[in-house]
Amino acid sequence: QQKVQQSPESLTVSEGAMASLNCTFSDGTSNNFRWYRQHSAKGLEVLVSIFSDGEKEEGRFTAHLNRANLHVSLHIREPQPSDSAVYLCAVSMKGNYKYVFGAGTRLKVIA
Amino acid sequence: EAAVTQSPRNKVTVTGGNVTLSCRQTNSHNYMYWYRQDTGHGLRLIHYSYGAGNLQIGDVPDGYKATRTTQEDFFLLLELASPSQTSLYFCASSLGLGVNQDTQYFGPGTRLLVL
């Protein structure tokens, strides 16, 4: 059964510094990866989707996927206090309804 | 972007109580999902549906029923609520399962407390 683990559990960065979040998964046949952001007491907002090894950029958010290492990461360029939230990694197979979520990384951006 | 709404946003009930959580999506998506979110567990899938009248079992279905009455509306029913069902519940929808169709869009969540 797919296991998805995120690290670190929490991260504090200064405004403008790069923030890097990690996600490891156990099923090497997974091919559909998404990063979501969850502000307190609100729903999840999809940030970036990536389906093949390499990187995918959406504005200030860049995902890096290395399926051989069972690893996908999210890098946030020039983070702002409004980026303070919980970031969730979701892993699935293309054409499959089933997402497996990590427990999240709580990011705090200080001015 | 998909619009998914949930009601109520907060609910308190007692053990053994009857609770219905509602979800509506207005973007003609075929798939709808109910998740629960608990500290340390991420989101876990309870039930999902691929159309009106259809229901599929997720990963943590015990103690929950669901019903999809229309393409827009998906309900989660707790008929004998227990304290272990205290959680944050999310509804989500997606257009389909094909390429570029399977992104799930989430509602704002319902916080349920079972005393």
Side-chain angles (χ1 to χ4, degrees):
Chain A
Q1 186 172 350
Q2 175 83 270
K3 302 285 187 200
V4 177
Q5 294 188 306
Q6 293 186 237
S7 63
E9 286 188 17
S10 63
L11 177 66
T12 299
V13 299
S14 299
E15 186 175 8
M18 178 77 78
S20 296
L21 290 65
N22 298 298
C23 175
T24 59
F25 52 96
S26 60
D27 185 344
T29 63
S30 303
N31 55 13
N32 196 342
F33 306 85
R34 289 185 170 87
W35 283 96
Y36 283 87
R37 177 170 66 184
Q38 182 180 18
H39 282 111
S40 179
K42 293 188 179 178
L44 281 68
E45 169 194 8
V46 60
L47 298 173
V48 59
S49 302
I50 187 166
F51 309 121
S52 56
D53 285 346
E55 74 173 45
K56 175 78 176 295
E57 182 177 313
E58 296 283 358
R60 295 184 295 110
F61 302 95
T62 301
H64 289 263
L65 174 62
N66 184 327
R67 282 194 288 169
N69 289 343
L70 303 176
H71 183 259
V72 58
S73 59
L74 177 69
H75 304 274
I76 307 173
R77 180 169 43 86
E78 298 176 357
Q80 301 154 13
S82 59
D83 291 321
S84 296
V86 175
Y87 289 77
L88 296 163
C89 171
V91 180
S92 69
M93 301 291 294
K94 274 186 191 176
N96 190 324
Y97 70 92
K98 187 175 176 66
Y99 282 23
V100 178
F101 285 85
T105 291
R106 184 174 297 277
L107 175 68
K108 183 176 181 180
V109 182
I110 54 177
Chain B
E1 187 172 325
V4 183
T5 57
Q6 294 182 236
S7 63
R9 294 295 311 277
N10 293 280
K11 176 74 177 178
V12 180
T13 190
V14 296
T15 299
N18 196 323
V19 176
T20 298
L21 307 184
S22 303
C23 176
R24 167 167 282 201
Q25 55 91 9
T26 57
N27 276 55
S28 302
H29 283 178
N30 296 307
Y31 283 75
M32 296 185 74
Y33 313 82
W34 277 108
Y35 291 90
R36 61 179 288 172
Q37 184 180 32
D38 304 289
T39 303
H41 286 280
L43 276 75
R44 292 180 290 174
L45 182 66
I46 304 170
H47 291 299
Y48 71 104
S49 165
Y50 55 73
N54 175 264
L55 179 65
Q56 303 293 319
I57 294 172
D59 296 326
V60 289
D62 292 347
Y64 302 96
K65 292 184 180 179
T67 180
R68 180 92 176 267
T69 55
T70 65
Q71 186 176 30
E72 295 78 19
D73 297 302
F74 195 29
F75 300 93
L76 185 68
L77 294 77
L78 292 72
E79 294 184 330
L80 287 171
S82 72
S84 64
Q85 294 176 307
T86 292
S87 188
L88 180 58
Y89 291 86
F90 285 104
C91 176
S93 71
S94 67
L95 179 59
L97 297 182
V99 174
N100 297 323
Q101 293 185 340
D102 59 354
T103 299
Q104 294 184 19
Y105 296 92
F106 286 79
T110 293
R111 192 168 294 279
L112 174 66
L113 174 61
V114 183
L115 300 173

